[in-house]
Amino acid sequence: MEMTETSVSANGGKRDPEAVNGHQKKQENGTTVQDSASNNSNAHPMSYLETMVHVFKGNIGPGLFAMGDAIKNAGLIVGPILTVIIGIVCVHCQHQLLRCSKKMKDKLGSDSYPDFATTVELCFENGPPRLRKWSRTMRIIVNIFLCVTQLGFCCVYFVFVSTNLQQIWKQYNITINDTLNLLLICAPILLTSLITNLKYLAPCSVLASACMLIGTGITLYFSVDDLPNPTERNFVADWETMPLFFGTALFAFEGISLVLPLQNAMRVPRNFHRPAGVLNVGMCFVTCMFVGLGFLGYLKYGDDVEGSLTLNLPEDNPLAQSVKLLISLGVLLGYALQFFIAIQIMWPGIQEKFGPFSRPLIGEFIFRILMVLLTLTIAMAVPKLSLFISLNGALCSTALALVFPPFIELVSTWEDTKGPGAIILLKNVAIMIIALLGFVTGSYESLAQIIRAFSEQTP
């Protein structure tokens, strides 16, 4: 979704009416719904391939290399099976979100799809009468979850790159403390974070994806070398560690916040959600990578598998060192894509409260710099990468990926007196129950282990 100094409004990241040729729709209750990314107004539409690259990069990051740790927490057999199931459910929920967005678009006669939070708001406004008063509250809640999730990803990106670089410095007897290491990483991240248009982020995503693919290939090369007998690993892990698997796997499937912005930014939006569209094709490939690398990572390293497989690679091998550099570069360049979504939500609210600014683009740049520094500060306090990944996945990704989409589908189909139908009701309730169970148990276990890690660090 394109974003320039004149193209955002103060309502959840949607464009100013002038940026969409004055097209806006009003409901009976007076709520204004603006066209957030009309094809006609999108000056830089993306192709199928460019969008595929964004889908790939939006889901391939630290979560991919944490899947070895995730499989360890579930078991060599149970882990891959559950990963495929979670992948299928996540993609299904993404399609639910797209269908609900399309339904609201058609209902209001808009030219483009509303964003995630606006879709939730409109579903409630047009749903059962008792729920309509909650529409604005739900939009705010979704936006909060989106911002926390995306900024959480950004914090993990900082920690991931810093941890890998520290191993490289150590190998060459270079002593750099963690704070200085993070500050060095912050400089290139700041530069890419000032890009305000998804179209112009595409080259970063292409380079990042190339680095990730090459790095993943070399990681697989090390992982398949001299594999132990599978009977030496747990086929089914202890039940206490299963919530950590759930949180890490949900963190890995981190792309739901991108589906509507990417669809809106496409030259032909229907190519995103059709059966052979960007979403299905891209997520099939992503899920296969998660299962393959996670399975081989745990099989190779067993209980010694780290929160990132790159940390298990030989420290004295030049090829292994190149992997850490490639993956670190790929993750570093992917920061801006995750950061983009949070800024798209927050900046319009800043403009509404403190604006109008005489130079809005400069104001946006200052705000972006401050938010990058905030994620840097949080990253400095993270005790362990794998635990932070699990917490972020269990706490925020679960709600966005598995709770809100089925819930709004129920709300949007309940407008008729017949209700949503037994099959839709049972399916969505089952998804939400599983999600809430993972939400509670995963958050509790992750927080408990983070507190334990802090206690161990305290003298």
Side-chain angles (χ1 to χ4, degrees), residues 159-456:
V159 178
F160 180 92
V161 176
S162 175
T163 306
N164 281 276
L165 287 184
Q166 280 290 21
Q167 278 201 352
I168 297 174
W169 306 143
K170 181 181 177 182
Q171 180 61 29
Y172 293 98
N173 296 318
I174 300 173
T175 303
I176 298 179
N177 64 45
D178 291 337
T179 301
L180 179 58
N181 195 42
L182 284 167
L183 290 174
L184 290 174
I185 297 165
C186 186
I189 282 179
L190 273 173
L191 292 177
T192 58
S193 298
L194 296 179
I195 300 174
T196 61
N197 190 296
L198 276 178
K199 175 75 173 181
Y200 300 141
L201 272 178
C204 292
S205 290
V206 169
L207 181 56
S209 298
C211 291
M212 298 296 285
L213 281 174
I214 296 171
T216 301
I218 300 174
T219 304
L220 284 171
Y221 167 77
F222 281 103
S223 298
V224 299
D225 182 46
D226 194 25
L227 287 173
N229 193 310
T231 56
E232 298 179 21
R233 306 293 180 239
N234 294 324
F235 288 170
V236 182
D238 295 334
W239 286 107
E240 328 77 61
T241 61
M242 202 67 72
L244 292 176
F245 161 81
F246 184 84
T248 304
L250 257 295
F251 176 89
F253 289 99
E254 60 190 59
I256 191 167
S257 59
L258 290 171
V259 295
L260 285 169
L262 290 178
Q263 178 177 256
N264 276 334
M266 285 191 73
R267 184 175 295 113
V268 184
R270 68 176 178 274
N271 285 340
F272 188 83
H273 60 262
R274 62 185 173 87
V278 173
L279 181 59
N280 289 344
V281 174
M283 291 307 297
C284 281
F285 184 61
V286 166
T287 303
C288 290
M289 291 186 67
F290 287 163
V291 172
L293 198 60
F295 179 88
L296 289 172
Y298 175 53
L299 178 60
K300 171 71 174 179
Y301 302 108
D303 290 340
D304 293 326
V305 67
E306 296 280 358
S308 169
L309 283 177
T310 57
L311 302 178
N312 286 108
L313 299 179
E315 294 187 11
D316 57 350
N317 188 303
L319 185 61
Q321 298 298 332
S322 71
V323 171
K324 293 171 186 176
L325 279 175
L326 283 168
I327 298 301
S328 296
L329 179 60
V331 170
L332 187 148
L333 291 172
Y335 179 102
L337 184 60
Q338 304 297 343
F339 187 72
F340 183 92
I341 302 301
I343 297 301
Q344 187 186 44
I345 294 168
M346 293 186 291
W347 175 241
I350 298 295
Q351 282 185 308
E352 181 182 31
K353 187 169 184 179
F354 299 104
F357 300 110
S358 58
R359 296 182 179 179
L361 186 58
I362 294 177
E364 183 180 347
F365 282 168
I366 294 172
F367 180 68
R368 284 170 173 263
I369 291 170
L370 290 175
M371 294 310 300
V372 170
L373 295 178
L374 174 63
T375 59
L376 170 66
T377 303
I378 296 173
M380 289 178 177
V382 175
K384 255 184 127 177
L385 175 64
S386 61
L387 297 180
F388 193 79
I389 286 175
S390 294
L391 177 61
N392 195 321
L395 191 62
C396 297
S397 297
T398 301
L400 292 174
L402 299 181
V403 176
F404 289 119
F407 192 62
I408 62 173
E409 184 179 64
L410 286 178
V411 171
S412 65
T413 54
W414 214 302
E415 55 186 322
D416 300 321
T417 55
K418 296 180 181 179
I423 295 178
I424 294 178
L425 179 62
L426 290 174
K427 176 200 69 174
N428 289 339
V429 168
I431 292 174
M432 287 189 289
I433 289 175
I434 294 172
L436 290 172
L437 182 63
F439 177 90
V440 174
T441 58
S443 299
Y444 174 81
E445 185 65 24
S446 298
L447 281 170
Q449 295 209 26
I450 286 175
I451 293 171
R452 197 174 302 127
F454 268 119
S455 301
E456 291 172 356

